[in-house]
Amino acid sequence: MAILRKNDVVKERPVIIVLYGTPGTGKTSLATTAESPMLIDTDRGFDRAVQRPDIVVTASQWEDIYNEEIIGKYVIENGVQVWKPGLISECKTIVVDTAKAMLDDYLSAYAVKMDYKLEKNSLKRYGLMGELFKQFVSVLRANESDIVFICHDKENTDGDITKHSPDCTGQSKDLLIRIADQVGYICKENNNRVIKFEPTDNRVGKNVAEIPDTWIPNYGTTEFETCMADIIKRVKKAIISKSDAQVKAKKDVDEARKKLAMVNDAEGANALIEVAHGLAKIHQKAFMNQMIKELSQKGIVFDKVTKKFVQNDKTAGSGNVA
């Protein structure tokens, strides 16, 4: 069991990205510009991509995806059990095209094959599917593989708003969105292809890396050849930088609390207000309230009118920051 403390630096890890969009927007072609890709083709679409990935696995059932040749197996060598890696060990990125076929068709059928009673019990079937899916993802992550799931676009109309989302059934889509680090919608604007990660009222998205709407380079250009690999690098960098920022924010709060413990007069308290304003925004209000509470016990109260600390005066208003 791995234990991660709050001040530990987070190491780079594999990421999971979901891409969805309308037909003809080049979802598969973009995904296979990731580093050393293996394409698990459940939608018979690999031959439509503008370039062939390193390895193509054509699948028509779950057993074609989760098997010893792909994942690996234990073998006995010289009387010792050793792990023999499968094809995934040769690849840096696993691309699943499409996630709907893999989850809603193949994995669902496999779950029923394991227990025929699940055919009429969708709740338990999706529970088992969730466990099998997590197992699949865990194996890929253990191999340090990045994962790109491709989905078609599904439109749902609510009044005047048409919302775009990955085409999977509700439970399958929930699994994908929850586990994904980044969810991008690919569409065409002014005859250019663009990928959009930021969620809005009319589309599902997830944007950990805070990537703005990005034009996808034209096929055949140097920029296109590494487009997905570059996006994945940005997501990994963003995750690490957010972790570093959290560590720094915690360190700043700890230092501010040490200074608070040493304050014994209004002058020192007011100087500490500037320190509070310099903290990460999420910590500012909580630290100011902590100041007000602890300093009031020392006879130093916060005047809501002047927004300053003063020595104890019965006419001065005091209280938490609103």
Side-chain angles (χ1 to χ4, degrees), residues 16-285:
I16 299 175
I17 295 179
V18 173
L19 299 178
Y20 72 101
T22 53
T25 50
K27 300 180 293 296
T28 306
S29 297
L30 173 63
T32 53
T33 62
E35 183 180 352
S36 183
M38 171 197 284
L39 174 63
I40 298 177
D41 182 21
T42 65
D43 207 34
R44 302 299 186 271
F46 82 90
D47 53 350
R48 295 193 296 270
V50 296
Q51 73 288 314
R52 180 171 293 186
D54 296 339
I55 299 176
V56 177
V57 176
T58 56
S60 57
Q61 58 181 347
W62 179 249
E63 293 91 325
D64 294 335
I65 300 171
Y66 199 86
N67 62 50
E68 294 178 346
E69 183 179 3
I70 304 298
I71 304 301
K73 62 180 178 179
Y74 283 104
V75 297
I76 303 298
E77 293 184 358
N78 300 321
V80 179
Q81 187 182 56
V82 296
W83 176 256
K84 183 179 180 181
L87 288 174
I88 62 169
S89 65
E90 302 178 25
C91 303
K92 185 66 181 68
T93 312
I94 308 300
V95 179
V96 178
D97 185 9
T98 63
K100 177 179 176 60
M102 189 189 81
L103 293 169
D104 292 343
D105 299 334
Y106 303 166
L107 191 52
S108 179
Y110 182 74
V112 172
K113 188 182 295 186
M114 292 182 68
D115 183 353
Y116 72 93
K117 295 179 182 178
L118 298 183
E119 184 174 8
K120 296 182 179 179
N121 191 329
S122 59
L123 183 61
K124 287 188 177 180
R125 183 171 74 251
Y126 276 106
L128 178 57
M129 287 171 59
E131 292 304 314
L132 293 170
F133 179 66
K134 290 175 185 175
Q135 184 182 52
F136 171 71
V137 170
S138 295
V139 170
L140 299 187
R141 279 179 162 170
N143 186 63
E144 296 295 316
S145 300
D146 299 311
I147 314 171
V148 180
F149 290 104
I150 298 174
C151 299
H152 294 302
D153 175 35
K154 184 174 183 179
E155 295 184 359
N156 289 303
T157 302
D158 184 7
D160 295 332
I161 298 177
T162 298
K163 187 159 187 175
H164 301 271
S165 65
D167 183 16
C168 281
T169 57
Q171 292 91 337
S172 297
K173 182 166 65 177
D174 290 345
L175 277 174
L176 278 178
I177 301 302
R178 185 166 59 249
I179 203 169
D181 297 295
Q182 199 86 358
V183 178
Y185 171 62
I186 302 176
C187 60
K188 284 188 176 181
E189 290 184 351
N190 300 321
N191 293 320
N192 291 304
R193 295 180 304 138
V194 61
I195 182 167
K196 303 181 177 187
F197 292 104
E198 195 65 25
T200 66
D201 289 342
N202 67 349
R203 69 172 181 265
V204 170
K206 199 171 186 179
N207 198 7
V208 171
E210 299 179 359
I211 298 176
D213 293 357
T214 302
W215 297 112
I216 299 172
N218 292 326
Y219 301 132
T221 63
T222 302
E223 293 79 9
F224 177 74
E225 290 177 358
T226 61
C227 187
M228 197 69 234
D230 294 338
I231 289 173
I232 289 174
K233 287 178 182 177
R234 290 179 68 175
V235 175
K236 289 183 177 181
K237 184 177 179 180
I239 290 172
I240 292 175
S241 65
K242 285 179 182 294
S243 173
D244 291 343
Q246 289 170 349
V247 171
K248 182 181 183 302
K250 176 63 172 56
K251 183 178 179 180
D252 290 344
V253 170
D254 289 343
E255 291 297 323
R257 286 172 177 164
K258 290 178 182 178
K259 292 178 180 178
L260 174 59
M262 299 173 64
V263 171
N264 291 306
D265 55 37
E267 183 180 357
N270 289 322
L272 197 57
I273 291 178
E274 294 302 315
V275 174
H277 289 168
L279 297 176
K281 190 173 182 180
I282 194 172
H283 296 299
Q284 290 178 11
K285 181 178 177 181

